[in-house]
Amino acid sequence: MRFGVLGPLAVSTDAGEPVTVPGVKVRALLADLLAHRNRVVATDRLIDDLWGDDPPANAAAALQVRVSQLRKALNDAEPGARDLVESRPPGYALRTDAVDADRFTELAAAPDAASLTEALRLWRGEPYADVADAEWVRAEATRLAEARLVVLEKLADARLARGEHALVATELAELVARHPLRESLRALQLRALYAAGRQAEALDSYADLRRRLADELGLDPGPELVALHRRILEQDAGLSRPPNAALIRNSLPARLDELVGRAEALAELRTLVPRRRLVTLTGPGGIGKTRLATEVAREQSYPDGVHLVELTALRPGGTAVAELVLAALDARETTGAGVAPDDQLVALLRHRRMLLLLDNCEHVIEPAAALVGRLLREAADLTVLATSREPLGLAGELLWEVPPLPVPADGRDLDAVRRSAAARLFAARAAAQQRSFRLDERTGPDVAQLCRRLDGLPLALELAATRVRALGLAGVVERLDDRFRLLSTGQRDVPERQRTLTAVIGWSWDLLADEERAVLARLAVHSDGCTLEAAEMVCDATVDVLARLVDRSLVVLDESGAAPRYRLLESVAAFALDRLADADPVRARHAAYYTGLAEQADPLLRGPHQRQWLTRLDAEAGNLRAALTYGAGLRLANALTWYWFLRGRLTEARRALALDGDAAARARAAGWRAGFALLQGDPVPPAEIEAALAGYADGRVTWFVAAALVDRSELTWAAELLARARTAGADDPWVEAAVCVTRAMLAHAASDLIALEREGARAAALFADLGDAWGRLQATDWVGGLAELTGEYERAAGLHREGLRWAQELALWPEVGSKLSWLAWIAVQTRDYRQARELAGRAHRLAVEQNSPTAQVFAELSLGIAARRAGQRDVAVAHLEHLVEVGGDDALFLPMVLIELGYAVADRDRARALTLHARAFDVAVAIGAPRDAVAALAGLASAVPEPAVAARLLGAAAAARTAARVPATPGERDEIDRAAAWCEAALGAAEFATMYRAGHDLDPGEARAQVESGLATR
């Protein structure tokens, strides 16, 4: 299927048969999708584009109808064409590469007149003529119209070069009349008129433009036109002959394939180059400097042409730069025997208006810079565009660092992969090698990984693409660790230095001094870069050497984080690491430096500098892992335990704490290792825990194990360890604060409001004095928990929302999950089940990512209760029965789960419901959770068959809540009211009231005994 937009909208099959697209709105929809082809257009935007301020009542449905009509029209003409219109959140996309505008753009970029003429033949009128007045198509139509003018100008320029002055002057008259303020057209017309012997008309045309600019825009003609006007007044003989009398017109190579992923760079550079006399594109080898510079140069218009000079023809350190430029310009004019080449070149270019593209200056940087400096001083109309792995270092030089191609962050998101320039380049080159290659759901993850591993380096991606045919995509990805053997090409038209990744990087390596090579190789031991201090300490680097490596594009200075970092591309690091001569001492210094950093950070992670040091250790996460393998071992692991806990990296902590170390380090690690294992739900023998704590009697480690035991419902043992932690950490206010937090948690489980208020408030005050944000978050849990117990739901939610904000700012993801779970829990209690499911879902996903069983339970509990109360019985039962399986017989959360499960199955199995509520009561009593025991009494009341017993149970539950000062939540109130209504209907109002009051005289245990005989007979 082919689409035409260069005129009225036209569609045809691949065989050339016209396709009818019915309906004004359907044609407008197609035009909109074509204007944004291969991109997703949001549904809301399409509705606005098609209907504006007067959309239909059900706009989304109306749009869907138009989409269906469009798909049908395409498919009727060519089976399978309906798939061109894809439904992609948040809207629709038209996937096609068969649009006349794209073919026009490709031809318009070619340097030869035949291609330019063919480009113009594609035009049938104004672009998007059917909908040209629509706002959404205006930018695309304007771009195409501008591109057509550029083609007309290029053709006129070429014909002037052939001496067709009079004919060009006549043809340009109409174009100038239609675009009277377009200065590039005027320049061509002035040159044509003057060369045709019509100097007076040329001057009149210039005067007309100057008058129009002043009257309509308040501007003067640009400097190029002013200079051209001056040359006409001076009757410059150079204007009366082809501008390339002594020079070839253009020496740029023809384009062989599409430049992918550089649209933004091209847009910036095409406007930047004409305004600056010296622009240098810098970047590492293989980044695409030459290709980008050539494409930029191709789009420039200079009277004396655009000329490429490839300096790679010179040996490193060669000085014959001027001779090479003269040869590239095919210059045969001389100013006399014995004249130096640079003098001859200055004489030749002094009155020329041209763009000189000097490619690959780095290996002859000194002579190249000297020549360019002189040319810019003495040839006033010369512009130089250079590519180099380091700057020329001249006054007025504008450095433009060519970035790697953006890589996809998430290989599972196919749209994100397809939007990535790196992935698109790889896919295009791989498809050129193997026609069956497609970027789809199957290949997307591997392509994303490959692009990231190759740092978005265009040459590396292209080399990798050449191996797909022989190895397959998966085979290429598997061999990236051996990239220097893998990444090579047999293409014979590629320069030798670009045929392998080794050659590309080796070209830069060979230009370095010995000291620079040594530092670069040492930098490679770092993972994900390093700070200046680390470079100095580990690599013996000086600022001067680092600056030279940055200038040579081998090291990148990244200032996006809290502190500047020196980074190496992965390929550069691999190359340099292979050449590290003093690996053992460098890795030893690396391990020592990062161990010292971690030990400095450890105490500061529990105070006012917590955020600063979390950020710093985050930035060094790769180096810390590397240091563990470089010999830092258990000493470093011990220093990182609290950091790993705060960041939720429990598995990483356990793995590192199992490393070898001296006796003292092993003793310290044992307690932490046991605590992390408990947090992940793994069994740890009590004797092992006691032995670990006896070997290292530290208040912080003892508290950590105690807190982990609470999560395992080992409450008695946990309480004992909390007392021991307080004793061991008697001089440590942080330990006291942490013990208070855990005691508050126990008080919350026991509904002990007095202890909860006392311990929570003390923890909050102590952590506030310490400036420990994590600790304040923990205290907020239980201050908010007290508010939730006493029915102050708005206050509780406000406290947890504030805590959520703190946790997100600190990137404390375990705490983010905890706060989301608390907010979900409050939403459950206040009947906002939709919000409860959304919040609990987010919390559960985080808990799974963090591999935190306790956090998963808290989130899934809210998911199950919210689903049950919202009427999603099967979803609720699945969640709740899973929690029963993982909970064991004495889990703190088990009574709540059993109660909710009892309500969930009551309609289908009342007897099971009664058994579940009874078990919930018994477990609650056993673990000391009176609030849950009272809730279980209400559950029993809903399940017992005898209404009189149910009424007494309800009365007993109400009396217990009043005594404990813990009111029923709105959600619980609904269940109580349903049970009370059933009782009252069965007994009558008076009898119900009597039984209800009788229940007030029963304690919870006595009330539970009311149903014991009934359970025994079931």
Side-chain angles (χ1 to χ4, degrees):
M1 193 69 66
R2 309 196 69 80
F3 300 92
V5 297
L6 301 179
L9 190 65
V11 186
S12 63
T13 65
D14 287 339
E17 295 297 322
V19 178
T20 300
V21 179
V24 174
K25 293 298 184 190
V26 180
R27 290 178 65 80
L29 170 64
L30 175 58
D32 203 342
L33 293 174
L34 280 169
H36 303 92
R37 53 194 172 276
N38 300 312
R39 290 176 287 164
V40 176
V41 187
T43 297
D44 291 345
R45 178 170 179 179
L46 287 171
I47 291 170
D48 188 54
D49 290 348
L50 266 60
W51 287 284
D53 295 331
D54 189 26
N58 190 342
L63 175 64
Q64 178 60 51
V65 169
R66 270 56 177 196
V67 171
S68 298
Q69 291 172 334
L70 174 59
R71 286 171 168 162
K72 183 178 185 304
L74 299 178
N75 209 66
D76 287 348
E78 193 168 274
R82 65 176 293 110
D83 294 337
L84 296 176
V85 182
E86 296 183 358
S87 176
R88 292 277 183 181
Y92 298 93
L94 180 68
R95 302 292 184 188
T96 180
D97 56 1
V99 181
D100 58 359
D102 293 336
R103 175 61 177 158
F104 165 78
T105 301
E106 179 183 350
L107 290 168
D112 59 292
S115 296
L116 298 176
T117 303
E118 180 64 25
L120 293 178
R121 290 197 187 103
L122 295 172
W123 284 70
R124 299 170 288 108
E126 292 300 317
Y128 294 91
D130 316 60
V131 290
D133 293 334
E135 181 66 31
W136 45 267
V137 81
R138 192 165 298 153
E140 175 71 356
T142 300
R143 180 187 71 81
L144 290 168
E146 168 65 19
R148 180 173 180 267
L149 280 174
V150 171
V151 170
L152 289 168
E153 290 172 344
K154 286 181 178 180
L155 282 172
D157 196 26
R159 293 172 66 192
L160 283 178
R162 295 197 300 268
E164 300 175 21
H165 310 131
L167 189 57
V168 171
T170 301
E171 293 176 352
L172 286 179
E174 182 183 354
L175 267 180
V176 170
R178 291 208 307 268
H179 305 279
L181 299 179
R182 188 176 179 86
E183 295 193 27
S184 52
L185 266 178
R186 288 279 186 167
L188 287 167
Q189 185 191 40
L190 295 184
R191 285 172 50 205
L193 288 170
Y194 180 78
R198 297 155 63 179
Q199 179 178 349
E201 291 178 60
L203 294 174
D204 287 343
S205 179
Y206 177 81
D208 175 66
L209 173 65
R210 184 171 57 187
R211 182 176 62 255
R212 287 176 181 271
L213 286 172
D215 292 346
E216 298 180 32
L217 302 177
L219 299 174
D220 293 323
E224 293 183 3
L225 266 176
V226 171
L228 179 58
H229 178 242
R230 184 177 67 250
R231 294 179 71 186
I232 292 172
L233 290 174
E234 295 171 351
Q235 298 189 6
D236 187 338
L239 288 176
S240 62
R241 61 181 180 178
N244 60 337
L247 303 171
I248 57 174
R249 179 67 181 159
N250 196 314
S251 62
L252 295 178
R255 181 189 293 107
L256 297 178
D257 50 28
E258 179 189 7
L259 179 63
V260 177
R262 295 299 192 189
E264 292 184 5
L266 277 173
E268 181 178 345
L269 286 167
R270 72 164 56 102
T271 58
L272 191 63
V273 168
R275 298 201 307 266
R276 303 297 294 256
R277 295 194 60 211
L278 174 58
V279 177
T280 304
L281 304 190
T282 64
I287 202 72
K289 300 183 294 296
T290 299
R291 183 65 195 279
L292 179 59
T294 303
E295 203 66 26
V296 171
R298 197 187 308 281
E299 298 184 6
Q300 304 302 316
S301 177
Y302 285 80
D304 293 311
V306 178
H307 304 278
L308 169 65
V309 183
E310 299 210 25
L311 299 182
T312 47
L314 298 173
R315 293 191 304 275
T319 59
V321 179
E323 293 96 316
L324 189 61
V325 176
L326 286 167
L329 294 176
D330 196 22
R332 293 180 173 80
E333 296 180 352
T334 63
T335 56
V339 177
D342 54 343
D343 293 332
Q344 182 179 346
L345 186 59
V346 169
L348 179 64
L349 300 182
R350 181 168 282 124
H351 298 296
R352 300 287 181 180
R353 292 190 61 246
M354 70 164 59
L355 174 64
L356 196 60
L357 170 51
L358 299 180
D359 190 32
N360 291 292
C361 299
E362 60 275 350
H363 64 301
V364 288
I365 195 70
E366 295 296 339
L371 179 63
V372 170
R374 182 179 176 190
L375 289 176
L376 292 176
R377 289 192 302 272
E378 300 186 36
D381 292 326
L382 178 69
T383 298
V384 176
L385 175 61
T387 75
S388 178
R389 301 187 191 187
E390 63 177 294
L392 295 180
L394 297 173
E397 179 182 26
L398 176 68
L399 295 178
W400 203 94
E401 185 173 358
V402 180
L405 294 176
V407 300
D410 184 359
R412 296 166 297 181
D413 184 346
L414 182 59
D415 272 346
V417 177
R418 284 174 168 164
R419 288 193 299 270
S420 159
R424 285 190 285 114
L425 174 64
F426 176 80
R429 301 299 186 255
Q433 297 287 321
Q434 185 179 35
R435 291 180 58 193
S436 62
F437 182 85
R438 296 289 183 274
L439 184 54
D440 53 25
E441 288 83 356
R442 181 181 61 84
T443 60
D446 279 344
V447 170
Q449 181 185 355
L450 183 143
C451 291
R452 289 194 296 270
R453 292 287 309 278
L454 296 180
D455 299 300
L457 201 66
L459 180 63
L461 294 169
E462 295 191 346
L463 292 173
T466 66
R467 293 300 193 185
V468 170
R469 184 178 179 187
L471 298 174
L473 177 60
V476 173
V477 173
E478 288 171 4
R479 288 165 174 79
L480 284 177
D481 286 338
D482 192 16
R483 65 186 63 198
F484 296 112
R485 184 179 301 176
L486 171 72
L487 299 182
S488 62
T489 181
Q491 289 180 246
R492 297 177 180 84
D493 59 347
V494 174
E496 191 69 35
R497 63 186 174 82
Q498 292 186 339
R499 292 188 183 181
T500 69
L501 189 61
T502 302
V504 170
I505 302 174
W507 173 268
S508 295
W509 175 270
D510 291 342
L511 299 177
L512 298 178
D514 289 344
E515 182 185 19
E516 294 164 345
R517 291 177 187 171
V519 170
L520 183 62
R522 292 167 188 160
L523 286 170
V525 304
H526 292 88
S527 176
D528 200 24
C530 65
T531 62
L532 174 60
E533 180 186 69
E536 292 172 332
M537 299 292 291
V538 176
C539 309
D540 290 332
T542 65
V543 173
D544 287 343
V545 170
L546 288 170
R548 291 200 296 273
L549 291 173
V550 170
D551 281 345
R552 286 161 173 75
S553 302
L554 288 165
V555 174
V556 177
L557 179 61
D558 180 1
E559 298 184 271
S560 61
R565 297 182 68 78
Y566 294 92
R567 301 185 188 277
L568 276 64
L569 297 181
E570 186 173 329
S571 296
V572 173
F575 181 96
L577 201 57
D578 283 345
R579 289 153 181 79
L580 179 60
D582 50 349
D584 290 342
V586 172
R587 288 188 171 120
R589 290 199 299 270
H590 180 282
Y593 176 82
Y594 287 101
T595 300
L597 183 71
E599 289 176 338
Q600 180 185 0
D602 185 34
L604 298 173
L605 288 174
R606 294 177 174 85
H609 304 294
Q610 184 178 80
R611 181 173 187 172
Q612 169 192 340
W613 279 94
L614 279 171
T615 301
R616 185 162 181 186
L617 292 182
D618 286 344
E620 302 296 358
N623 281 315
L624 294 168
R625 294 189 188 101
L628 288 168
T629 67
Y630 291 165
L634 207 51
R635 179 181 162 193
L636 175 57
N638 280 326
L640 289 173
T641 49
W642 193 241
Y643 167 71
W644 281 323
F645 173 75
L646 292 178
R647 285 295 186 239
R649 298 174 189 166
L650 310 188
T651 301
E652 183 176 357
R654 291 178 66 185
R655 184 169 55 245
L657 288 166
L659 294 171
D660 195 17
D662 60 30
R666 291 198 304 272
R668 181 180 176 187
W672 288 106
R673 190 169 60 247
F676 281 117
L678 291 169
L679 287 175
Q680 288 196 305
D682 289 346
V684 183
E688 181 179 323
I689 294 174
E690 287 294 354
L693 296 179
Y696 187 72
D698 175 80
R700 295 181 181 184
V701 176
T702 306
W703 164 82
F704 184 67
V705 174
L709 287 170
V710 170
D711 284 344
R712 299 286 290 272
S713 301
E714 299 276 0
L715 304 188
T716 303
W717 192 8
E720 178 191 339
L721 290 183
L722 288 175
R724 285 161 56 181
R726 179 172 273 168
T727 300
D731 297 327
D732 188 343
W734 190 93
V735 171
E736 174 64 20
V739 168
C740 288
V741 158
T742 307
R743 287 184 182 275
M745 181 181 183
L746 295 173
H748 184 271
S751 301
D752 184 344
L753 302 188
I754 295 174
L756 176 56
E757 183 173 16
R758 180 185 67 246
E759 301 290 350
R762 178 159 172 73
L766 286 170
F767 278 128
D769 289 343
L770 291 167
D772 187 324
W774 173 86
R776 294 180 67 192
L777 282 170
Q778 306 309 302
T780 301
D781 278 354
W782 308 113
V783 175
L786 175 62
E788 180 264 330
L789 275 180
T790 56
E792 298 179 79
Y793 302 114
E794 282 300 321
R795 179 169 179 263
L799 287 167
H800 292 308
R801 279 194 294 269
E802 183 179 33
L804 175 62
R805 178 173 56 80
W806 294 346
Q808 288 172 329
E809 288 175 355
L810 289 167
L812 294 174
W813 302 119
E815 307 315 317
V816 169
S818 173
K819 291 305 178 185
L820 288 171
S821 289
W822 270 111
L823 289 166
W825 177 255
I826 292 170
V828 164
Q829 307 311 322
T830 55
R831 304 192 187 98
D832 191 346
Y833 303 125
R834 181 197 60 79
Q835 185 182 41
R837 289 196 300 274
E838 191 272 329
L839 290 168
R842 288 167 57 192
H844 192 265
R845 287 190 293 274
L846 268 175
V848 170
E849 291 173 6
Q850 300 290 328
N851 191 23
S852 174
T854 302
Q856 290 178 48
V857 165
F858 193 4
E860 191 169 12
L861 178 61
S862 293
L863 284 172
I865 297 175
R868 200 277 299 176
R869 295 185 186 177
Q872 297 175 310
R873 179 191 175 280
D874 291 341
V875 174
V877 169
H879 282 304
L880 296 168
E881 288 186 337
H882 175 254
L883 289 172
V884 172
E885 291 176 11
V886 303
D889 293 334
D890 55 359
L892 287 176
F893 60 84
L894 184 60
M896 290 180 281
V897 174
L898 294 171
I899 292 166
E900 290 297 326
L901 186 57
Y903 283 126
V905 304
D907 290 344
R908 300 183 185 181
D909 191 344
R910 196 177 181 90
R912 185 187 178 202
L914 186 62
T915 301
L916 288 167
H917 289 304
R919 182 184 173 197
F921 181 91
D922 296 341
V923 174
V925 171
I927 64 175
R931 181 189 186 188
D932 293 335
V934 173
L937 286 180
L940 285 167
S942 71
V944 293
E946 303 87 359
V949 174
R952 286 194 292 273
L953 288 168
L954 290 174
R961 289 186 191 281
T962 301
R965 294 188 294 121
V966 179
T969 69
E972 291 172 326
R973 189 76 253 167
D974 293 338
E975 305 298 344
I976 293 169
D977 290 346
R978 273 191 286 271
W982 168 70
C983 291
E984 190 170 354
L987 298 172
E991 181 65 13
F992 170 72
T994 300
M995 294 295 101
Y996 188 83
R997 284 194 298 273
H1000 273 257
D1001 297 330
L1002 301 174
D1003 65 32
E1006 293 170 333
R1008 163 71 173 83
Q1010 297 274 311
V1011 295
E1012 186 61 39
S1013 59
L1015 281 174
T1017 61
R1018 292 180 186 277

